[in-house]
Amino acid sequence: MRYREIPHGKEKVGVIGLGTVYYHHSDLTEVERTVRTALSHGVNYFDMIVEREEAFLSYAKAWEGVPRSAYAIQMHFGAVYENGPYGWTRDLDRIKGAIQKQMQMLKIEYADMGYVHCIDEEEDFRHVMRHGLWDYMKGMKADGKIRHLGCSTHNPDILRRFLDTGLIDMAMFSVNMAYDYASDGPYAIGNRENRYRLYQECESAGVGLSVMKPFGGRRLLDERISPFHCAFTTNQCIQYALDRPAVLTVLPGVPNAEYLKRALAFLEASEEERDYAKLADVTPEKIEGTCVYCNHCLPCPKGLNIGLINKYYDLARVGDALAAQHYQNLEGKANACVACKHCEKRCPFHVKQEARMKEIAQYFKEEPVQR
Ligand code: SF4
Ligand code: SF4
C-alpha cells in the first residue's frame, strides 16, 4: 500500500480504502471477509455507509485484535438504519441515536472522520448549520469523539460552503473522468473548470479528499454505458482520481473481497496499465493544451516529474503557499528543462510543455541552469 498524509492531522491513509460492501443479504460473512482482506493488504481507511445495520457487527469482528490506531473510519452523520436497511435523515435526535448505536456496534470510542452526510442542496446545508447538527458535531470533536470534521457531497458549491467554515479537514467527493469531462449523470455537478478549481481550493485549504464513485458508478468500466463510448480500466480510473489535487484516498464500493482485490491490483500495476492518456482521444476539444498531470510524457531526459511540476505550479498560482513550498523541495525544477521537446511529442493533450517550463521557471524566479 502507498500512503498519503492528512494535511491537518498527519495520519497516513492508504491511497485505496474501502467503500461500501454491497453484500448479498443472506451472506453477511462476506462483509467480514472483505474487511479482513482489506486489512491484510494494508487498507487502513474505511467508509461507514453500509447496506444494512447488521454489517457494522461484521466490521467490528474483522477489526478484533487490530490496534485502533491502525485504521481510520469515516462516519456519516445523517445515515440511519432504523428498519435495518440504509436510510438518511436531517432530524438531529435520530442522527444522535444512530451515531451512538453505530459506534456501539463498531465497538469504537471515536470516529476518525465525522462527516455531515450527503449534502447536495443549499437548503440542507443551512438546516445542518442552524438546527443543531453542526454544533453537535463540533461538540463531539471538542470531546475527542470525532478527530476530524468533514462532509460528503457531490456538489462543488456545497463543499465550498464547508471549506468556508474553516473547520473541516476532510471531505468525501465524487471524482472521476465522466463527472469532470462528460457531465454524465445527476451527480456530475459543476463543469470541468468549476470542479477542477474545487480540487485546488481543497488542496490550498489543506483539506483532503476521499473519493466516492471513482468509476462513475461503474459506467466508465463498460463501453456500452460509458459516456465516452469506450471503457477505462479500474487502474486508469484510480490513477486519474489520485492525480487530482487534494485527493488522498479512493474508496471503491465492492460486492465482495474478489472485487476489492481487483481494485487493489492497482498497487502492482505498471505505469502503462495506469496510464489514462486515452482521455485525450475522447475529450479532445475540452482538454487540448491542458496539463492533466498524467505523466504520459515521461521519461524526461533531465529526470523532471513533469506532472508534479505542473500540478504545484497551477496550485501556487491560485495562492497555495504549501504547494509552492513542495515545488521548492523538488529535486528537478522547471529551470532544468533543456527544451528537447521529447515530452511534447508524447503528450496526448498537446501541451506546449517546453514553453510552460519556461513560464514556470520564470514564475518561481529560477536562474537558468548551466548546460
Ligand atoms: S504534459 Fe501532457 S503527458 Fe505530460 S503530464 Fe501534462 S498532460 Fe500528461
Ligand atoms: S522539453 Fe523539458 S520537460 Fe520536456 S522532456 Fe525535454 S527537458 Fe524534459
Side-chain angles (χ1 to χ4, degrees):
M1 180 61 68
R2 292 192 280 282
Y3 296 90
R4 292 181 174 181
E5 198 171 272
I6 296 175
H8 292 164
K10 306 304 173 204
E11 300 99 321
K12 288 185 169 36
V13 300
V15 294
I16 298 182
L18 181 59
T20 300
V21 181
Y22 300 100
Y23 65 102
H24 191 281
H25 291 175
S26 61
D27 191 11
L28 199 54
T29 54
E30 194 53 52
V31 178
E32 189 185 329
R33 199 166 80 84
T34 307
V35 177
R36 283 190 199 282
T37 302
L39 288 168
S40 69
H41 284 78
V43 170
N44 69 348
Y45 195 93
F46 297 87
D47 184 57
M48 291 319 308
I49 289 295
V50 296
E51 271 209 275
R52 293 181 63 84
E53 190 173 50
E54 60 266 26
F56 289 117
L57 298 172
S58 303
Y59 279 79
K61 244 178 155 183
W63 288 330
E64 262 168 32
V66 181
R68 178 66 184 87
S69 57
Y71 57 94
I73 303 173
Q74 60 177 35
M75 297 200 66
H76 293 256
F77 287 64
V80 290
Y81 302 86
E82 285 153 349
N83 301 312
Y86 163 79
W88 63 271
T89 181
R90 299 277 174 245
D91 181 273
L92 184 57
D93 288 334
R94 287 168 67 200
I95 293 173
K96 284 181 182 175
I99 285 293
Q100 279 165 16
K101 189 166 180 201
Q102 289 168 31
M103 290 177 76
Q104 271 169 12
M105 293 176 86
L106 291 169
K107 298 185 184 163
I108 57 169
E109 300 294 321
Y110 66 91
D112 300 84
M113 319 295 151
Y115 285 179
V116 177
H117 179 53
C118 201
I119 299 270
D120 282 349
E121 305 289 339
E122 174 67 23
E123 197 186 323
D124 280 343
F125 175 82
R126 280 200 229 112
H127 189 279
V128 163
M129 293 296 158
R130 290 178 187 167
H131 296 279
L133 178 56
W134 191 236
D135 288 337
Y136 173 62
M137 292 175 67
K138 284 194 289 183
M140 280 187 74
K141 181 160 188 233
D143 293 342
K145 302 263 184 206
I146 293 176
R147 295 278 159 94
H148 301 282
L149 291 170
C151 66
S152 66
T153 178
H154 304 92
N155 186 334
D157 290 338
I158 294 295
L159 183 37
R160 286 191 178 94
R161 297 282 270 141
F162 278 100
L163 287 178
D164 287 345
T165 67
L167 295 176
I168 67 167
D169 296 332
M170 288 286 293
M172 191 180 206
F173 191 69
S174 39
V175 180
N176 61 62
M177 293 177 262
Y179 293 1
D180 283 355
Y181 289 98
S183 299
D184 177 60
Y187 296 127
I189 304 173
N191 61 20
R192 182 178 74 85
E193 288 76 19
N194 185 0
R195 295 172 65 82
Y196 193 72
R197 230 177 20 254
L198 176 77
Y199 306 145
Q200 291 182 324
E201 287 162 12
C202 288
E203 170 103 20
S204 297
V207 170
L209 294 178
S210 58
V211 171
M212 59 177 152
K213 302 186 178 65
F215 313 128
R218 302 198 74 76
R219 284 167 66 79
L220 279 167
L221 306 179
D222 186 336
E223 66 179 355
R224 291 167 303 175
I225 50 174
S226 161
F228 301 120
H229 309 293
C230 72
F232 286 86
T233 65
T234 53
N235 290 331
Q236 290 166 333
C237 292
I238 292 171
Q239 187 64 58
Y240 175 82
L242 288 173
D243 282 346
R244 296 316 97 202
V247 169
L248 300 184
T249 182
V250 174
L251 310 179
V254 295
N256 55 43
E258 272 56 53
Y259 273 79
L260 176 62
K261 283 185 200 159
R262 282 184 217 169
L264 288 166
F266 169 84
L267 299 167
E268 310 299 328
S270 65
E271 273 181 37
E272 287 72 28
E273 287 167 327
R274 289 183 276 118
D275 188 337
Y276 52 89
K278 76 173 180 183
L279 181 62
D281 301 332
V282 292
T283 59
E285 72 293 350
K286 293 186 181 160
I287 241 175
E288 183 78 7
T290 306
C291 184
V292 298
Y293 322 135
C294 64
N295 269 341
H296 183 83
C297 51
L298 295 186
C300 158
K302 301 308 286 182
L304 300 183
N305 186 330
I306 296 172
L308 208 51
I309 287 174
N310 279 269
K311 188 192 275 190
Y312 288 154
Y313 170 55
D314 286 342
L315 287 163
R317 277 193 307 165
V318 294
D320 188 333
L322 199 61
Q325 208 178 309
H326 287 325
Y327 176 84
Q328 297 303 343
N329 293 337
L330 288 174
E331 251 176 50
K333 301 192 181 60
N335 62 342
C337 170
V338 290
C340 70
K341 296 195 180 181
H342 171 81
C343 54
E344 292 192 12
K345 287 184 203 117
R346 280 185 48 82
C347 176
F349 305 98
H350 304 124
V351 176
K352 301 280 179 234
Q353 197 55 252
E354 181 215 343
R356 204 163 145 90
M357 285 294 173
K358 275 191 194 132
E359 180 186 317
I360 296 172
Q362 268 174 9
Y363 177 87
F364 287 110
K365 300 188 173 47
E366 289 164 3
E367 298 294 329
V369 169
Q370 295 295 329
R371 302 185 175 113

